[in-house]
Amino acid sequence: MNAGPGRSSGGGGRSRRRRGRRPPNHRGGGGGGQSRDRQNQNNQGGIYTAPMDHSYRAVLGNNNGHKGGRPRPGFGATYHPPEPEPLPVREDANSRIFAFVDDLFFLAKIQETARKMNVKVEFVKTDKELLEKIKQNGEEKPSLIIFDLNNVNAKPLTLIPKLKSKLKKGTSIIGFLSHVQGDLKQKAHEVGCDMVLPRSAFSQNLPQLLRRHGAAEEESAEVQ
């Protein structure tokens, strides 16, 4: 039977027109939708991103997606060690701690903490000044030398190995710096710095450091 001009017999035209109206993102018939999904992932660097639902947040907890318990470094509450008891007051005690620090904030912090711990700390600018102070103490070697590793006037990377060679193991050398200065930290260790701390950790542990190293010889064994 003739379907008339412009029409195909058997209704095939309508069938083809229905198939032609499929949505462009249909996943059947050759996986064209999957190819587009893979292309979208490639546009995002191969990482598929999707919104985080509330149930997933509940599993992870409210600490920025971190589970409860011990926080990751740099996240959550910071642990502050308890402040130790101050040492007995000794007016005749020699200075056992010296600091190459010219930063006004840390200079004031060290002074205040030393006052609370009943510890004498002397600030020096050069190795000659330090050696003169040691002579005044009857050649008693310092227990601790503190370096601000960003104190360019003291030239810590040059001065630390000289002091380490002269004072040997009886003196600990501790440096502090910004937590992002990884290269400077490594160089300080290489030239003989016994301990290198970020500024925040140095501040938190300052009372313990001053008390331990500020104690007299006979008191140091009890403190440790």
Side-chain angles (χ1 to χ4, degrees):
M1 180 178 179
N2 190 359
R7 291 190 177 186
S8 301
S9 61
R14 287 194 299 273
S15 176
R16 283 192 295 271
R17 282 196 297 273
R18 282 195 296 270
R19 286 194 297 269
R21 291 173 184 172
R22 286 177 181 169
N25 62 346
H26 194 276
R27 296 178 178 268
Q34 295 177 359
S35 299
R36 281 186 291 273
D37 288 345
R38 286 193 295 270
Q39 183 178 1
N40 290 335
Q41 293 180 19
N42 291 334
N43 292 336
Q44 298 175 6
I47 302 174
Y48 175 74
T49 58
M52 184 185 295
D53 62 15
H54 294 288
S55 61
Y56 189 57
R57 286 194 181 119
V59 172
L60 291 179
N62 296 323
N63 189 15
N64 294 328
H66 179 61
K67 292 184 178 180
R70 185 176 182 181
R72 292 177 294 174
F75 293 84
T78 303
Y79 171 73
H80 295 276
E83 192 165 296
E85 292 292 329
L87 290 171
V89 178
R90 293 185 56 178
E91 297 296 338
D92 60 339
N94 292 328
S95 297
R96 295 171 53 81
I97 301 175
F98 296 88
F100 288 87
V101 176
D102 62 358
D103 183 286
L104 295 180
F105 173 81
F106 280 97
L107 191 148
K109 186 173 185 62
I110 293 172
Q111 286 178 330
E112 177 62 17
T113 306
R115 183 189 64 79
K116 290 181 179 179
M117 293 293 106
N118 295 327
V119 173
K120 289 185 178 181
V121 178
E122 294 198 44
F123 294 86
V124 292
K125 297 183 179 298
T126 65
D127 56 334
K128 293 182 179 180
E129 185 179 357
L130 173 62
L131 296 176
E132 183 62 31
K133 296 285 187 181
I134 294 175
K135 287 181 180 180
Q136 295 175 6
N137 289 342
E139 300 297 336
E140 179 183 356
K141 293 181 179 179
S143 175
L144 174 65
I145 298 177
I146 300 171
F147 273 93
D148 178 358
L149 294 175
N150 288 290
N151 183 359
V152 294
N153 293 325
K155 300 179 180 179
L157 296 183
T158 302
L159 186 53
I160 288 174
K162 291 182 180 179
L163 295 177
K164 201 66 181 176
S165 176
K166 183 176 183 61
L167 301 174
K168 307 301 180 183
K169 296 182 178 180
T171 301
S172 297
I173 298 180
I174 294 178
F176 64 88
L177 40 57
S178 172
H179 70 282
V180 299
Q181 295 179 296
D183 291 340
L184 181 57
K185 177 180 179 179
Q186 182 178 352
K187 290 177 181 178
H189 278 303
E190 290 174 352
V191 297
C193 199
D194 297 298
M195 183 184 298
V196 181
L197 298 173
R199 289 170 178 163
S200 57
F202 173 77
S203 297
Q204 292 171 14
N205 291 279
L206 185 58
Q208 288 81 0
L209 291 172
L210 296 186
R211 189 182 193 280
R212 181 168 70 247
H213 291 282
E217 294 277 341
E218 61 274 10
E219 296 172 342
S220 297
E222 297 179 5
V223 173
Q224 295 176 357

